[in-house]
Amino acid sequence: MIEASNPKILIIYTGGTIGMIQDPLTQTLVPFNFESIYDQVPRLLFYDIEVNTFAFENPIDSSDMQPEDWQQIAEKIHENYNEYDGFVILHGTDTMAYTASALSFMFENLSKPVILTGSQLPLGIPRTDGRNNIINAVEIAAAKRQDGSPVISEVCICFENKLYRGNRTYKNNAENFNAFVSPNYPILANIGVNIKYNYDCIAKVPQEKMTLCAKMDSNMAILKLYPGITRNIVQSILETKELHGVVLETYGAGNSNKSAWFLELLSEAIARGIVIINVTQCKGGGGVKEGKYESSFLLGKLGIISGYDIITESAVTKLMYLWGREKDVGRVKALLGKSLRGEITVE
Ligand code: ASP
């Protein structure tokens, strides 16, 4: 019997591997009916937590996720914000990092937990990692501090016994259960015998009212440099119709080639109002150190924004969010270089 004071969690099911079970007739993997979540994850019944579910009408493989789907998730959370203590989003792993980053920007002054999780093996398979991931995510979404405020008030990814800041995390492994990493920010909790929260690194609960701005502008490009990239390729990307922003994936500490044609194309794009952020290709840690080498100094002089240690998933969704929200290039540039939701360490 659920007490009125028990925490209430809304699980939003969007699709992905986690929601699959084997159809007894066809033996194929099909999405299961989320209203029967307690049948699939009976251990949830042991908690004094009320769990309700909402499922996308057509659950999707997350490689089909689009900004409209992020908006649908955000709006569902917004509609139910006052009624629930926390939100768990079940999502495919392929683009979970993009969704987590996008949601983190859409919600300003989030004061409740939004935890994304999924699995590498379907729930309907005996060795699934999905059951633990759901249970951990629900427990974390319901966790309170002694004063009754939530332990977590940000968008996170909970996967394989770790809790990560959503906009610092990306999918790093298609084989292992620990599919995600957050190289430039410590984990927010380690889930062992006890859940050990890293309170120093968790966002503080804001006092201001939460607001949602779910408008995204998709006119962005990711331009990854490689030795031999041609003028034609760079030009065709930078001269794409209606392009508003570019994540320039550079080498090491933010370096590029210094060819005159390359710097000229970048400079012309900036003059046309395109906002460019410099993000390192190094996935294992570290970031852009503008001015360490001559080439990053030159990029900075052109007006390219240093992305410091931001990851690509976060940079591209931040550009989409800022251009969806702001009209003025100067504002977009100023906000891009700042930490809005703990996604970047500005030095
Ligand atoms: N392709 C699947 C998805 O991202 C993989 C997964 O769920 O892990 O939806």
Side-chain angles (χ1 to χ4, degrees):
M1 176 74 181
I2 289 160
E3 305 280 325
S5 59
N6 285 341
K8 276 181 83 179
I9 303 300
L10 181 64
I11 297 185
I12 300 172
Y13 169 56
T14 67
T17 298
I18 191 162
M20 301 283 161
I21 53 168
Q22 209 150 36
D23 185 305
L25 291 177
T26 62
Q27 304 299 309
T28 56
L29 288 172
V30 290
F32 81 87
N33 175 3
F34 259 81
E35 277 164 23
S36 62
I37 183 116
Y38 287 111
D39 296 341
Q40 288 307 323
V41 195
R43 277 185 280 157
L44 279 176
L45 285 167
F46 292 107
Y47 285 119
D48 290 330
I49 300 172
E50 182 182 338
V51 175
N52 293 321
T53 57
F54 166 80
F56 267 27
E57 202 174 315
N58 298 308
I60 53 174
D61 186 302
S62 80
S63 36
D64 282 321
M65 261 297 149
Q66 297 298 331
E68 300 79 64
D69 301 304
W70 301 339
Q71 279 153 2
Q72 196 190 336
I73 300 168
E75 272 151 22
K76 199 73 207 167
I77 293 171
H78 192 240
E79 274 165 35
N80 288 281
Y81 196 70
N82 294 330
E83 218 189 302
Y84 286 89
D85 295 281
F87 301 86
V88 170
I89 301 164
L90 303 185
H91 195 290
T93 56
D94 288 346
T95 66
M96 190 184 291
Y98 291 89
T99 303
S101 286
L103 291 174
S104 79
F105 296 120
M106 288 175 170
F107 287 104
E108 193 164 359
N109 298 318
L110 189 69
S111 60
K112 296 193 175 181
V114 173
I115 316 288
L116 288 98
T117 195
S119 68
Q120 295 283 62
L121 283 177
L123 261 190
I125 297 232
R127 259 183 349 95
T128 183
D129 50 330
R131 226 157 268 145
N132 264 350
N133 286 345
I134 293 184
I135 287 173
N136 290 337
V138 168
E139 183 165 335
I140 288 168
K144 298 273 176 156
R145 299 178 193 233
Q146 266 173 355
D147 65 0
S149 64
V151 174
I152 300 293
S153 56
E154 55 180 304
V155 178
C156 296
I157 289 180
C158 178
F159 217 87
E160 183 57 5
N161 299 328
K162 291 198 169 48
L163 184 73
Y164 306 93
R165 173 165 292 166
N167 55 32
R168 290 288 197 160
T169 306
Y170 65 88
K171 184 172 178 181
N172 182 51
N173 202 304
E175 173 67 23
N176 293 346
F177 283 147
N178 61 340
F180 289 90
V181 288
S182 161
N184 289 334
Y185 199 75
I187 54 165
L188 303 186
N190 192 47
I191 306 161
V193 174
N194 297 300
I195 299 182
K196 291 210 171 124
Y197 291 100
N198 188 358
Y199 285 100
D200 290 345
C201 295
I202 292 171
K204 305 269 171 294
V205 183
Q207 297 309 309
E208 297 85 356
K209 199 171 176 292
M210 182 275 283
T211 53
L212 170 66
C213 175
K215 200 164 160 232
M216 298 298 251
D217 175 351
S218 293
N219 290 306
M220 306 301 151
I222 297 173
L223 173 52
K224 180 169 183 158
L225 298 186
Y226 52 90
I229 193 167
T230 63
R231 184 191 173 109
N232 279 347
I233 298 287
V234 175
Q235 187 166 10
S236 67
I237 292 174
L238 294 179
E239 291 184 2
T240 304
K241 236 171 98 202
E242 290 178 33
L243 185 70
H244 288 149
V246 176
V247 177
L248 183 67
E249 274 202 6
T250 56
Y251 311 120
N255 306 312
S256 70
N257 76 61
K258 299 187 284 295
S259 322
W261 65 263
F262 179 68
L263 297 176
E264 222 170 83
L265 286 175
L266 291 172
S267 163
E268 284 165 12
I270 290 167
R272 290 195 300 276
I274 294 170
V275 177
I276 307 179
I277 182 167
N278 184 358
V279 173
T280 179
Q281 292 178 13
C282 294
K283 298 289 271 178
V288 170
K289 299 228 179 306
E290 206 180 272
K292 183 168 178 198
Y293 294 90
E294 189 190 5
S295 72
S296 67
F297 172 75
L298 293 175
L299 295 180
K301 261 187 71 179
L302 292 181
I304 292 178
I305 308 297
S306 171
Y308 299 99
D309 62 352
I310 200 168
I311 55 171
T312 296
E313 290 81 346
S314 190
V316 72
T317 50
K318 188 173 180 181
L319 271 170
M320 288 180 177
Y321 163 75
L322 288 175
W323 270 120
R325 196 185 100 168
E326 305 290 337
K327 299 267 168 301
D328 177 59
V329 183
R331 282 272 301 163
V332 173
K333 283 188 177 172
L335 292 170
L336 191 59
K338 287 204 173 111
S339 171
L340 302 183
R341 313 281 186 261
E343 72 283 2
I344 186 172
T345 317
V346 178
E347 287 162 18

Short mmCIF file of all heavy atoms in Angstrom, two decimals, residues 71-96:
data_model
loop_
_atom_site.label_atom_id
_atom_site.label_comp_id
_atom_site.label_asym_id
_atom_site.label_seq_id
_atom_site.Cartn_x
_atom_site.Cartn_y
_atom_site.Cartn_z
N GLN A 71 11.85 17.64 -27.33
CA GLN A 71 10.81 18.58 -26.88
C GLN A 71 9.66 17.83 -26.23
O GLN A 71 9.12 18.26 -25.20
CB GLN A 71 10.28 19.40 -28.06
CG GLN A 71 11.19 20.55 -28.38
CD GLN A 71 11.11 21.00 -29.84
OE1 GLN A 71 10.33 20.45 -30.63
NE2 GLN A 71 11.94 21.96 -30.19
N GLN A 72 9.29 16.69 -26.83
CA GLN A 72 8.18 15.90 -26.26
C GLN A 72 8.53 15.45 -24.84
O GLN A 72 7.70 15.52 -23.92
CB GLN A 72 7.89 14.69 -27.15
CG GLN A 72 6.54 14.06 -26.84
CD GLN A 72 6.32 12.72 -27.53
OE1 GLN A 72 6.93 12.42 -28.55
NE2 GLN A 72 5.45 11.91 -26.97
N ILE A 73 9.76 15.00 -24.65
CA ILE A 73 10.18 14.55 -23.31
C ILE A 73 10.14 15.75 -22.35
O ILE A 73 9.60 15.66 -21.24
CB ILE A 73 11.61 13.96 -23.35
CG1 ILE A 73 11.70 12.76 -24.28
CG2 ILE A 73 12.09 13.59 -21.95
CD1 ILE A 73 13.13 12.30 -24.60
N ALA A 74 10.71 16.87 -22.81
CA ALA A 74 10.79 18.05 -21.94
C ALA A 74 9.40 18.52 -21.56
O ALA A 74 9.13 18.87 -20.40
CB ALA A 74 11.55 19.16 -22.64
N GLU A 75 8.49 18.53 -22.52
CA GLU A 75 7.14 19.01 -22.22
C GLU A 75 6.41 18.08 -21.26
O GLU A 75 5.67 18.53 -20.39
CB GLU A 75 6.36 19.25 -23.51
CG GLU A 75 6.60 20.67 -24.00
CD GLU A 75 6.50 20.82 -25.51
OE1 GLU A 75 5.85 19.99 -26.14
OE2 GLU A 75 7.12 21.79 -26.03
N LYS A 76 6.64 16.78 -21.40
CA LYS A 76 6.01 15.82 -20.48
C LYS A 76 6.51 16.07 -19.04
O LYS A 76 5.75 16.04 -18.09
CB LYS A 76 6.40 14.39 -20.92
CG LYS A 76 5.50 13.33 -20.38
CD LYS A 76 4.15 13.35 -21.08
CE LYS A 76 3.08 12.80 -20.17
NZ LYS A 76 1.73 13.08 -20.68
N ILE A 77 7.81 16.32 -18.91
CA ILE A 77 8.35 16.61 -17.58
C ILE A 77 7.74 17.92 -17.06
O ILE A 77 7.31 18.01 -15.90
CB ILE A 77 9.89 16.72 -17.63
CG1 ILE A 77 10.49 15.35 -17.97
CG2 ILE A 77 10.47 17.26 -16.32
CD1 ILE A 77 11.98 15.35 -18.26
N HIS A 78 7.68 18.91 -17.92
CA HIS A 78 7.16 20.23 -17.54
C HIS A 78 5.71 20.12 -17.05
O HIS A 78 5.36 20.63 -15.99
CB HIS A 78 7.28 21.16 -18.75
CG HIS A 78 7.04 22.59 -18.42
ND1 HIS A 78 6.04 23.33 -18.99
CD2 HIS A 78 7.68 23.41 -17.56
CE1 HIS A 78 6.08 24.55 -18.51
NE2 HIS A 78 7.06 24.63 -17.64
N GLU A 79 4.88 19.40 -17.82
CA GLU A 79 3.45 19.22 -17.45
C GLU A 79 3.30 18.56 -16.09
O GLU A 79 2.35 18.81 -15.37
CB GLU A 79 2.78 18.22 -18.42
CG GLU A 79 2.23 18.76 -19.67
CD GLU A 79 1.96 17.58 -20.64
OE1 GLU A 79 1.58 16.48 -20.20
OE2 GLU A 79 2.15 17.81 -21.86
N ASN A 80 4.22 17.65 -15.78
CA ASN A 80 4.07 16.83 -14.56
C ASN A 80 5.02 17.27 -13.45
O ASN A 80 5.16 16.58 -12.44
CB ASN A 80 4.36 15.36 -14.89
CG ASN A 80 3.25 14.76 -15.71
OD1 ASN A 80 2.21 14.39 -15.19
ND2 ASN A 80 3.45 14.71 -17.02
N TYR A 81 5.65 18.42 -13.65
CA TYR A 81 6.73 18.84 -12.75
C TYR A 81 6.30 18.92 -11.29
O TYR A 81 7.00 18.46 -10.40
CB TYR A 81 7.26 20.20 -13.22
CG TYR A 81 8.60 20.55 -12.65
CD1 TYR A 81 9.75 19.87 -13.02
CD2 TYR A 81 8.72 21.58 -11.71
CE1 TYR A 81 11.00 20.20 -12.51
CE2 TYR A 81 9.96 21.93 -11.19
CZ TYR A 81 11.09 21.23 -11.59
OH TYR A 81 12.32 21.56 -11.07
N ASN A 82 5.13 19.50 -11.06
CA ASN A 82 4.71 19.70 -9.66
C ASN A 82 4.20 18.42 -9.03
O ASN A 82 4.18 18.28 -7.82
CB ASN A 82 3.64 20.80 -9.56
CG ASN A 82 4.25 22.12 -9.95
OD1 ASN A 82 5.45 22.34 -9.74
ND2 ASN A 82 3.44 23.00 -10.54
N GLU A 83 3.77 17.50 -9.87
CA GLU A 83 3.14 16.29 -9.34
C GLU A 83 4.14 15.20 -8.93
O GLU A 83 3.81 14.31 -8.15
CB GLU A 83 2.22 15.74 -10.42
CG GLU A 83 0.94 15.18 -9.83
CD GLU A 83 0.17 14.45 -10.90
OE1 GLU A 83 -0.14 15.11 -11.91
OE2 GLU A 83 -0.06 13.25 -10.71
N TYR A 84 5.34 15.27 -9.48
CA TYR A 84 6.31 14.20 -9.24
C TYR A 84 7.57 14.71 -8.55
O TYR A 84 7.93 15.88 -8.68
CB TYR A 84 6.69 13.53 -10.57
CG TYR A 84 5.57 12.65 -11.09
CD1 TYR A 84 4.58 13.18 -11.91
CD2 TYR A 84 5.49 11.31 -10.72
CE1 TYR A 84 3.53 12.39 -12.36
CE2 TYR A 84 4.45 10.51 -11.17
CZ TYR A 84 3.47 11.05 -11.99
OH TYR A 84 2.43 10.27 -12.42
N ASP A 85 8.23 13.80 -7.84
CA ASP A 85 9.49 14.15 -7.16
C ASP A 85 10.68 14.00 -8.09
O ASP A 85 11.74 14.60 -7.85
CB ASP A 85 9.69 13.24 -5.95
CG ASP A 85 8.62 13.48 -4.91
OD1 ASP A 85 8.72 14.45 -4.18
OD2 ASP A 85 7.64 12.70 -4.89
N GLY A 86 10.53 13.15 -9.10
CA GLY A 86 11.65 12.95 -10.01
C GLY A 86 11.20 12.22 -11.26
O GLY A 86 10.09 11.67 -11.31
N PHE A 87 12.08 12.24 -12.26
CA PHE A 87 11.75 11.69 -13.57
C PHE A 87 12.86 10.76 -14.03
O PHE A 87 14.04 11.07 -13.89
CB PHE A 87 11.56 12.84 -14.57
CG PHE A 87 10.48 13.79 -14.15
CD1 PHE A 87 10.77 14.84 -13.27
CD2 PHE A 87 9.17 13.60 -14.55
CE1 PHE A 87 9.77 15.69 -12.83
CE2 PHE A 87 8.15 14.44 -14.11
CZ PHE A 87 8.46 15.50 -13.24
N VAL A 88 12.43 9.61 -14.58
CA VAL A 88 13.40 8.66 -15.14
C VAL A 88 13.03 8.49 -16.61
O VAL A 88 11.86 8.23 -16.93
CB VAL A 88 13.33 7.30 -14.39
CG1 VAL A 88 14.14 6.24 -15.12
CG2 VAL A 88 13.84 7.47 -12.96
N ILE A 89 14.00 8.65 -17.47
CA ILE A 89 13.73 8.51 -18.91
C ILE A 89 14.43 7.26 -19.41
O ILE A 89 15.66 7.13 -19.29
CB ILE A 89 14.24 9.75 -19.67
CG1 ILE A 89 13.56 11.00 -19.12
CG2 ILE A 89 13.97 9.62 -21.17
CD1 ILE A 89 14.24 12.26 -19.51
N LEU A 90 13.66 6.34 -19.95
CA LEU A 90 14.24 5.13 -20.54
C LEU A 90 14.47 5.40 -22.02
O LEU A 90 13.55 5.80 -22.75
CB LEU A 90 13.30 3.94 -20.35
CG LEU A 90 12.93 3.64 -18.90
CD1 LEU A 90 12.09 2.37 -18.82
CD2 LEU A 90 14.16 3.51 -18.02
N HIS A 91 15.70 5.19 -22.45
CA HIS A 91 16.15 5.74 -23.74
C HIS A 91 17.19 4.80 -24.32
O HIS A 91 17.98 4.20 -23.59
CB HIS A 91 16.78 7.10 -23.40
CG HIS A 91 17.02 8.02 -24.55
ND1 HIS A 91 17.98 7.80 -25.50
CD2 HIS A 91 16.44 9.20 -24.87
CE1 HIS A 91 17.98 8.81 -26.36
NE2 HIS A 91 17.05 9.68 -26.01
N GLY A 92 17.25 4.70 -25.64
CA GLY A 92 18.33 3.96 -26.27
C GLY A 92 19.67 4.59 -25.94
O GLY A 92 19.75 5.80 -25.68
N THR A 93 20.70 3.77 -25.96
CA THR A 93 22.01 4.30 -25.53
C THR A 93 22.70 5.12 -26.63
O THR A 93 23.54 5.96 -26.33
CB THR A 93 22.95 3.15 -25.11
OG1 THR A 93 23.07 2.23 -26.19
CG2 THR A 93 22.45 2.45 -23.87
N ASP A 94 22.33 4.86 -27.89
CA ASP A 94 23.10 5.46 -28.99
C ASP A 94 23.15 6.99 -28.92
O ASP A 94 24.19 7.59 -29.15
CB ASP A 94 22.55 5.01 -30.35
CG ASP A 94 22.88 3.56 -30.64
OD1 ASP A 94 23.74 2.99 -29.94
OD2 ASP A 94 22.28 2.98 -31.56
N THR A 95 22.02 7.61 -28.66
CA THR A 95 22.01 9.08 -28.63
C THR A 95 21.59 9.63 -27.26
O THR A 95 21.19 10.78 -27.14
CB THR A 95 21.08 9.68 -29.72
OG1 THR A 95 19.73 9.31 -29.42
CG2 THR A 95 21.46 9.20 -31.10
N MET A 96 21.71 8.76 -26.24
CA MET A 96 21.31 9.20 -24.90
C MET A 96 22.08 10.46 -24.46
O MET A 96 21.53 11.36 -23.82
CB MET A 96 21.57 8.07 -23.90
CG MET A 96 20.97 8.34 -22.54
SD MET A 96 21.39 7.06 -21.35
CE MET A 96 20.48 5.67 -21.94
#
